[in-house]
Amino acid sequence: MIKKVLVANRGEIAMRIFRTCRVMNIPTVAIYTHVDRGALHVRYAEEAYCISEDETDTSYLKPDLILAIARKTGAAIHPGYGFLSENADFARRCEEEGVIFIGPSADVIAKMGIKTEARKIMKAAGVPVVPGTEEPVNNIAEVRKVAKEVGYPIMLKALAGGGGKGMRLVRDEEGLEEAFRLSCSEAGNSFGNDAIYIEKYIENPHHIEVQVLGDKYGNVIHLYERECSIQRRNQKVIEESPSPFVKEETRKKMLAVAVEACKKIGYYSAGTLEFMMDKDQNFYFLEMNTRLQVEHPVTEEVTGVDLVRDMILVAAGNPLPYKQEDVEFRGAAIECRIYAEDPENNFMPSPGVIKVREAPEGRNVRLDSAAYAGFEVSLHYDPMIAKLCTWGRNRESAISNMARALREYKILGIKTTIPFHQRVLHNETFLKGNYDTTFIDTKFDKEDLKRRQNNDPLVAVIAAAIKHFEQEKEASARMTTVPLVGESLWKYYGKLQMTANNY
Ligand code: ADP
Ligand code: ADP
Ligand code: MG
């Protein structure tokens, strides 16, 4: 049985997992780096261990240390997403050292972590895959040859890729050599593996993915699909379920194919099969994420399932607590990823201290966040600071609820993607539900975002008030004299305070 859970992660996902542990009455262990010592996940857990060697050490990639803490505390390890979550060696060491790893087998993580391997396995299991190479391409001559065979446009992709990094669209032979060189070096830098393979670029694709859940006894179920086609830099920013684009007949096929494939590879725990779908509803396997996905709340909202709870139960050796026919699908849910990024400036990172934070509340709103006023968003980590998710009995109502929640959500001190989300919710293409991954580049008016920001009368009034306040403060600072001898400092500061309050 699992008596304690250590989350080898930080931020909102650490909080997400701890909350379920609390529901299950399982004590929790946090790990943290020096810069994260004030973070919420550290305060929330029953025990917390610093894993930094010194003040400058920001790494969460410490397998030895994390395993030592898990053994010492008697905890199972949940890796969250990112960091060690798809590191097969780490999962294997857990298996060998008697620490329960709350995820799939090391073997399956290893196979799915190499995209060309995953493609081969899925193909053999009867899943349609994006046309392309089954082996890495090693030099420019080979790349040229294969690109011709596959047919332009193509995608150069890192074998070990993730997080939207290490891939490049190439439309014709002219830019090929340069793109190949850049892709190799980016892949090497990001993943410590510079191998590249080629996929056909699917034009105007929809990113549709299937959530699966399996146990160690061969039972696998699906928890329906998520549409994740609103992306910037090949990374998701908005997700929803059900997909407004997929037809019922296609949905059935996709879900069945995903479950069958997972049965064949002996998959257990939560996982996601990602697909590209073209305008004619042809779908192709893209990759499998052998972990809890960032956007899993969308699925939880429409099915009522707690994926973290089920991952813990499965890791402890329990069979799945329900069957496919017990899963009820209700209404629609949508998630907006709140990044500390400037949507007006090409989504550049916007680190800094959060000065004000007012969180949305109320009916059908779910916020997964690790932000608070005073928290410093560091450049060292992923810029996603929260996920806002809303539910509705249909898509329209989920979207209206999201619009309301976004209006209530105030974060000052850093730029966030909140204004971007508000614009998307008014976009006609988005509202119609027929948007693809080119949406931000082709259907979204970025200039409109700037105009709206600059013309907002409320912002103008607030800016004027701040300016006025600052001028007055400056003036009163100039007038301030040293307290007279004999006047108590308390009285003196009291008076200053009263002057300040008058503004
Ligand atoms: P998903 O497919 O689950 O939506 P992505 O494909 O965007 O997610 O990949 C997971 C993302 O999580 C990556 O962008 C990675 O940089 C990011 N990430 C890694 N570690 C963390 C972390 N500790 N907190 C937040 N994000 C992280
Ligand atoms: P990652 O591991 O970084 O998540 P994926 O292979 O899942 O990489 O691809 C991420 C995104 O990149 C997809 O959702 C899609 O928008 C784009 N993409 C990847 N491969 C293709 C392709 N062959 N055709 C069109 N778009 C693609
Ligand atoms: Mg992916």
Side-chain angles (χ1 to χ4, degrees):
M1 206 23 231
I2 288 179
K3 295 194 203 73
K4 240 183 218 185
V5 170
L6 180 158
V7 175
N9 215 306
R10 66 186 295 280
E12 67 83 20
I13 196 61
M15 289 298 292
R16 158 73 194 90
I17 297 163
F18 284 156
R19 287 194 163 114
T20 284
C21 293
R22 198 162 277 185
V23 171
M24 296 174 80
N25 283 319
I26 302 175
T28 49
V29 183
I31 55 167
Y32 63 99
T33 59
H34 186 77
V35 287
D36 269 344
R37 63 199 182 284
L40 280 190
H41 77 280
V42 183
R43 291 187 233 163
Y44 196 92
E46 270 86 24
E47 287 170 74
Y49 295 85
C50 183
I51 56 166
S52 285
E53 271 170 29
D54 58 45
E55 288 185 13
T56 60
D57 179 2
T58 53
S59 173
Y60 276 85
L61 301 173
K62 300 249 171 84
D64 292 328
L65 196 50
I66 294 170
L67 272 162
I69 298 169
R71 278 195 308 265
K72 182 177 142 195
T73 55
I77 296 179
H78 196 305
Y81 53 74
F83 297 139
L84 295 169
S85 63
E86 288 171 287
N87 182 318
D89 291 337
F90 181 66
R92 188 161 294 122
R93 280 192 60 189
C94 288
E95 282 169 18
E96 284 164 8
E97 295 178 33
V99 171
I100 297 178
F101 179 79
I102 304 173
S105 67
D107 191 39
V108 118
I109 297 175
K111 284 182 186 146
M112 294 298 144
I114 300 296
K115 289 189 175 175
T116 42
E117 284 304 304
R119 286 161 59 81
K120 274 187 225 161
I121 292 167
M122 287 297 164
K123 217 169 165 180
V127 183
V129 305
V130 180
T133 55
E134 303 308 326
E135 301 297 333
V137 282
N138 297 308
N139 54 57
I140 185 66
E142 203 180 321
V143 174
R144 268 210 192 91
K145 183 168 161 275
V146 175
K148 250 196 209 114
E149 280 162 22
V150 173
Y152 291 95
I154 55 154
M155 287 288 259
L156 296 177
K157 297 179 68 169
L159 245 67
K165 289 194 204 78
M167 69 180 84
R168 219 163 227 96
L169 169 60
V170 186
R171 289 221 169 256
D172 48 47
E173 195 171 330
E174 201 183 315
L176 189 63
E177 191 162 350
E178 165 89 345
F180 178 60
R181 201 174 46 75
L182 289 173
S183 296
C184 290
S185 88
E186 191 178 311
N189 290 338
S190 307
F191 313 111
N193 176 350
D194 65 0
I196 298 286
Y197 74 105
I198 294 179
E199 269 179 19
K200 173 126 193 104
Y201 177 73
I202 310 287
E203 297 278 3
N204 294 100
H206 289 250
H207 176 118
I208 318 260
E209 56 186 34
V210 176
Q211 175 72 53
V212 294
L213 184 64
D215 64 22
K216 295 179 182 172
Y217 311 98
N219 303 304
V220 179
I221 61 170
H222 69 77
L223 294 164
Y224 297 89
E225 85 283 1
R226 292 181 290 256
E227 162 88 56
C228 314
S229 301
I230 307 276
Q231 304 184 348
R232 56 108 186 74
R233 296 195 281 270
N234 297 313
Q235 207 186 25
K236 305 150 189 166
V237 266
I238 299 183
E239 304 95 350
E240 60 177 313
S241 185
S243 161
F245 175 70
V246 177
K247 298 201 175 101
E248 193 48 41
E249 194 190 326
T250 323
R251 171 178 290 120
K252 275 206 189 108
K253 260 195 244 160
M254 232 176 149
L255 299 173
V257 157
V259 168
E260 269 323 297
C262 288
K263 282 188 179 158
K264 282 196 183 132
I265 62 175
Y267 195 85
Y268 58 79
S269 194
T272 298
L273 282 91
E274 298 189 331
F275 296 91
M276 295 270 88
M277 187 178 283
D278 68 17
K279 62 179 190 339
D280 303 318
Q281 306 257 316
N282 298 307
F283 59 88
Y284 309 94
F285 171 79
L286 189 61
E287 67 156 343
M288 178 162 192
N289 292 329
T290 52
R291 57 171 160 86
L292 189 63
Q293 197 99 334
V294 175
E295 57 275 21
H296 75 278
V298 166
T299 297
E300 293 187 327
E301 293 306 297
V302 285
T303 60
V305 159
D306 178 340
L307 277 164
V308 172
R309 173 177 175 272
D310 297 338
M311 287 178 85
I312 293 174
L313 292 177
V314 167
N318 295 292
L320 283 185
Y322 45 87
K323 296 197 175 62
Q324 186 70 64
E325 54 270 29
D326 301 326
V327 180
E328 284 175 58
F329 193 99
R330 241 182 103 237
I334 174 165
E335 175 185 276
C336 292
R337 295 194 190 186
I338 314 299
Y339 286 102
E341 289 177 352
D342 183 358
E344 272 184 55
N345 186 13
N346 211 14
F347 296 91
M348 289 296 276
S350 174
V353 175
I354 296 176
K355 299 224 172 87
V356 174
R357 172 191 180 258
E358 279 175 33
E361 293 174 355
R363 194 168 166 268
N364 295 335
V365 173
R366 167 176 176 174
L367 182 64
D368 286 82
S369 160
Y372 58 87
F375 181 71
E376 180 168 2
V377 180
S378 152
L379 258 185
H380 297 293
Y381 304 115
D382 194 272
M384 197 189 74
I385 52 169
K387 301 179 310 202
L388 180 59
C389 189
T390 55
W391 182 87
R393 69 201 144 52
N394 54 36
R395 183 168 190 258
E396 290 67 39
S397 107
I399 291 174
S400 310
N401 289 336
M402 180 59 80
R404 188 274 287 173
L406 285 169
R407 270 189 76 170
E408 287 179 18
Y409 204 172
K410 306 257 172 340
I411 294 182
L412 301 182
I414 55 165
K415 302 260 189 187
T416 74
T417 46
I418 293 173
F420 163 79
H421 291 302
Q422 287 176 314
R423 295 310 304 147
V424 174
L425 294 195
H426 288 101
N427 181 289
E428 223 171 282
T429 308
F430 177 76
L431 290 172
K432 279 194 194 133
N434 187 357
Y435 56 85
D436 58 53
T437 60
T438 66
F439 174 84
I440 292 183
D441 288 331
T442 61
K443 299 284 182 345
F444 182 71
D445 182 357
K446 289 178 194 139
E447 293 308 311
D448 181 49
L449 185 67
K450 267 186 215 168
R451 280 193 299 275
R452 302 244 161 203
Q453 291 263 72
N454 295 341
N455 291 341
D456 190 335
L458 192 62
V459 173
V461 170
I462 294 170
I466 292 172
K467 185 86 186 146
H468 176 73
F469 177 75
E470 279 177 347
Q471 279 169 350
E472 293 288 341
K473 211 167 73 179
E474 252 175 48
S476 76
R478 277 198 298 276
M479 280 174 357
T480 310
T481 47
V482 183
L484 295 173
V485 180
E487 186 182 17
S488 119
L489 273 179
W490 286 109
K491 268 195 196 158
Y492 168 70
Y493 283 114
K495 269 193 237 161
L496 270 190
Q497 193 58 44
M498 276 167 63
T499 325
N501 285 347
N502 286 339
Y503 295 105

